[in-house]
Amino acid sequence: CFCQLSGNIDECTCNIDTVDHFNNIKVYPRLKSLLLKDYFRFYKVNLKRPCPFWVDDSKCAMRDCHVKPCPPEEIPEGLKGNSHQKVVPVGPHPSDKYSKQQNEGCAAHHNELDYLNKTISEKLQKDMQLWEAYDDALDNFCDIDNNDENAEYVDLLLNPERYTGYSGESARRIWKSIYLENCFRPKKSFSFNPYIQSNKLNELCLEERVFYRSISGLHASINVHLCSNYLLSKNNGFGGLGKPEAKWGPNLEEFQKRFSPENTNGEGPNWLRNLYFIYLVELRALAKAAPYLEKEGYYTGDEQNDWDTRMAMKDLLKVIKLFPDHFDETTMFRNSEQARKLKYEFKQHFRNITRIMDCVGCDKCRLWGKLQTQGLGTALKILFSGQFDGVEGKRTLDAHNKKEFQLQRNEIVSLVNAFGRLSNSLYKIDDFRQMLSMR
Ligand code: FAD
């Protein structure tokens, strides 16, 4: 069977069977219950940003493309406003107050000086905040919607990733632009095909291959989901209030059409292998950031729920840390000036891809496309920004360390949900394998 993959996962020392067993038995059930928790369920996103690259002409009108934002009363109290964000103290330095008391007698002159001091100090604070934001932005592999005033909360459980019918010119254009304009490609081979033939991949350097495999793995995951949660019939039985109820489930023919070698110039199984690859990349990021993620509060304002989330997260991270053969990011971007340039390009290409998500013409696909690229971007930040190096191995983080690296809430939510999608894909591929073997 074409999806009965074997051998080592490319660029890694780990084999497919090991990952299948680890995922399906240990990771998948834990993630499934963790992602039901409020902290991970509500994702803040702006789905109305205009496409920055071309005229956004195609809007999917199908009912299944639609996303319903959360009404305010359904958003957990602790996520409303900015209460969950880290507060940076603003205002004059305490020493300014002291000098003010000292100089009360000679009012006019000193008031002027005082005002000057205060202004300088405020300006300094503002500059420092701007520089901090600038430094953070340099480390980021994508723009974050957290502080976007047009972003709205979406309940991910009410808007599951599944078949929407989004296809045709609009979808093709997105994938083409991602592969042909924003992925690294072999120099001499010119092709209209978005994918790179697997026998040409060795013409790319390691970092370029990692980039391509990650994107192709993400693409494979999205397509596995639309096959495994396909619209099987529009009105099978009747739901409440006499409304026809749709039936969703796996569509084996669709899966074969998209991944069998006969239908894909032999590439389908390689795309599935790339899915295992990106799984290992994100798994490694979670393992690397585990000491940080174990300290997070997962605050939503509901004490019991937050405690449960912390325990479930700890349990998942414990399992992840014990996995022996992670993807090894330390072999990438090594030292030289050329590596520095390559890292810069890598980041720019990836940022572009996250912006292309604003051109996706189906809101549901845009939502999950944004979430999954942001999740991958967060994983890349953890692996390559240097902020998280040396964190591992430390059982606890002191206050100083906790200050050095920071992930915003949306980064954590997207990282864990994106990994959840990959874990779900591997699980679903196993279902398809079983369906095929029963034929
Ligand atoms: P496409 O999947 O559009 O692929 C285009 C071409 O890319 C293929 O012909 C092939 O040459 C190549 N290719 C295919 N897979 C890979 C791979 N893994 N690696 C490398 N090259 C590959 N549809 C839904 O129903 N639900 C969704 O939630 C959804 N989300 C989407 C999110 C995004 C960001 C995008 C861009 C599209 C999404 N779609 C979704 C649409 C879906 O991905 C397909 O584009 C659509 O079903 C049309 O499929 P296709 O057969 O034309 O091939």
Side-chain angles (χ1 to χ4, degrees):
C1 158
F2 69 88
C3 57
Q4 193 67 54
L5 307 170
S6 62
N8 274 4
I9 297 165
D10 309 87
E11 329 292 350
C12 304
T13 50
C14 174
N15 89 33
I16 299 248
D17 286 344
T18 314
V19 173
D20 268 333
H21 184 265
F22 170 70
N23 179 64
N24 299 346
I25 308 284
K26 297 199 167 163
V27 172
Y28 173 79
R30 286 179 168 85
L31 261 174
K32 204 170 171 200
S33 83
L34 178 67
L35 294 175
L36 298 177
K37 306 270 185 268
D38 279 358
Y39 184 87
F40 291 106
R41 187 175 159 177
F42 296 97
Y43 177 57
K44 201 173 179 190
V45 63
N46 180 358
L47 294 176
K48 298 196 180 93
R49 271 198 205 167
C51 168
F53 299 109
W54 55 80
V55 179
D56 195 4
D57 40 7
S58 51
K59 273 266 165 267
C60 176
M62 284 181 61
R63 206 182 59 172
D64 300 313
C65 289
H66 183 66
V67 171
K68 218 174 125 222
C70 270
E73 66 276 11
E74 280 171 25
I75 302 168
E77 255 340 285
L79 302 185
K80 287 182 185 165
N82 287 328
S83 57
H84 60 282
Q85 284 174 10
K86 294 181 178 71
V87 183
V88 187
V90 224
H93 192 273
S95 64
D96 287 347
K97 267 192 212 152
Y98 176 74
S99 62
K100 196 174 174 200
Q101 279 163 9
Q102 291 268 306
N103 298 324
E104 254 166 1
C106 5
H109 179 62
H110 282 103
N111 273 351
E112 237 170 69
L113 274 182
D114 214 34
Y115 171 75
L116 210 66
N117 269 346
K118 198 174 153 206
T119 317
I120 291 170
S121 154
E122 274 174 0
K123 179 157 178 356
L124 243 163
Q125 290 258 12
K126 267 194 192 139
D127 282 355
M128 272 170 64
Q129 278 175 26
L130 276 177
W131 277 109
E132 262 173 32
Y134 177 73
D135 283 348
D136 278 355
L138 282 186
D139 282 334
N140 286 343
F141 281 73
C142 45
D143 300 331
I144 301 167
D145 280 341
N146 232 7
N147 302 322
D148 181 337
E149 52 192 37
N150 295 318
E152 292 177 288
Y153 276 104
V154 172
D155 182 340
L156 296 173
L157 297 184
L158 294 183
N159 296 281
E161 187 188 23
R162 62 187 179 192
Y163 175 79
T164 60
Y166 178 53
S167 59
E169 194 39 48
S170 172
R172 246 194 313 274
R173 190 179 195 178
I174 306 273
W175 288 124
K176 253 189 169 171
S177 156
I178 289 176
Y179 288 112
L180 296 179
E181 292 155 29
N182 292 290
C183 274
F184 302 92
R185 299 188 69 84
K187 298 269 171 320
K188 285 180 209 125
S189 74
F190 179 78
S191 164
F192 288 111
N193 283 329
Y195 59 84
I196 302 174
Q197 271 174 333
S198 44
N199 61 358
K200 296 259 183 224
L201 267 175
N202 55 11
E203 293 176 21
L204 299 178
C205 68
L206 170 68
E207 290 80 359
E208 295 171 338
R209 287 199 303 273
V210 164
F211 193 97
Y212 171 76
R213 285 195 203 285
S214 303
I215 299 300
S216 165
L218 176 65
H219 187 173
S221 178
I222 288 174
N223 285 1
V224 166
H225 279 119
L226 76 88
C227 297
S228 67
N229 209 350
Y230 199 85
L231 181 58
L232 298 176
S233 92
K234 280 192 177 161
N235 50 359
N236 180 289
F238 286 86
L241 300 171
K243 274 192 191 156
E245 202 178 71
K247 190 176 172 215
W248 301 87
N251 183 334
L252 186 58
E253 282 68 38
E254 188 68 32
F255 181 70
Q256 284 178 298
K257 199 180 97 191
R258 287 177 185 269
F259 292 104
S260 74
E262 302 80 57
N263 293 325
T264 57
N265 275 338
E267 290 297 324
N270 295 323
W271 299 340
L272 291 177
R273 297 183 79 88
N274 291 337
L275 172 47
Y276 282 81
F277 175 76
I278 184 182
Y279 178 90
L280 284 186
V281 170
E282 294 193 9
L283 181 72
R284 167 71 191 128
L286 282 165
K288 190 170 182 175
Y292 179 88
L293 295 170
E294 278 163 355
K295 289 277 150 193
E296 186 61 42
Y298 302 102
Y299 179 72
T300 64
D302 176 334
E303 241 172 72
Q304 182 62 47
N305 204 314
D306 298 349
W307 192 83
D308 289 348
T309 310
R310 285 196 291 277
M311 291 302 112
M313 192 69 188
K314 268 195 179 147
D315 182 43
L316 172 72
L317 292 170
K318 199 165 110 192
V319 166
I320 286 179
K321 282 197 291 186
L322 288 176
F323 187 72
D325 298 309
H326 284 294
F327 165 72
D328 181 5
E329 79 282 7
T330 59
T331 55
M332 290 174 62
F333 305 117
R334 282 202 149 148
N335 298 333
S336 72
E337 185 54 31
Q338 206 186 354
R340 227 167 56 90
K341 196 172 149 245
L342 189 61
K343 192 170 177 180
Y344 175 78
E345 282 176 24
F346 193 97
K347 205 180 282 181
Q348 292 309 316
H349 282 222
F350 192 78
R351 276 198 184 163
N352 247 358
I353 291 178
T354 63
R355 287 190 196 117
I356 292 175
M357 291 302 126
D358 286 321
C359 305
V360 173
C362 148
D363 279 354
K364 181 82 71 65
C365 311
R366 187 184 283 211
L367 164 68
W368 286 98
K370 281 179 94 112
L371 179 138
Q372 291 177 84
T373 48
Q374 189 183 19
L376 177 57
T378 306
L380 297 176
K381 171 175 168 177
I382 292 169
L383 295 180
F384 301 120
S385 69
Q387 278 189 40
F388 289 80
D389 294 353
V391 173
E392 262 173 312
K394 282 191 185 170
R395 293 194 66 113
T396 53
L397 295 173
D398 48 44
H400 175 65
N401 279 330
K402 181 106 175 98
K403 240 180 90 188
E404 273 177 23
F405 39 80
Q406 284 197 354
L407 291 176
Q408 297 191 29
R409 178 182 179 274
N410 245 20
E411 292 180 294
I412 299 176
V413 172
S414 61
L415 173 67
V416 179
N417 267 293
F419 183 61
R421 292 286 75 205
L422 301 176
S423 167
N424 195 58
S425 287
L426 295 199
Y427 193 84
K428 296 295 175 188
I429 292 175
D430 215 42
D431 283 351
F432 281 125
R433 265 183 212 130
Q434 284 177 30
M435 287 162 78
L436 277 165
S437 72
M438 284 199 303
R439 277 209 159 170

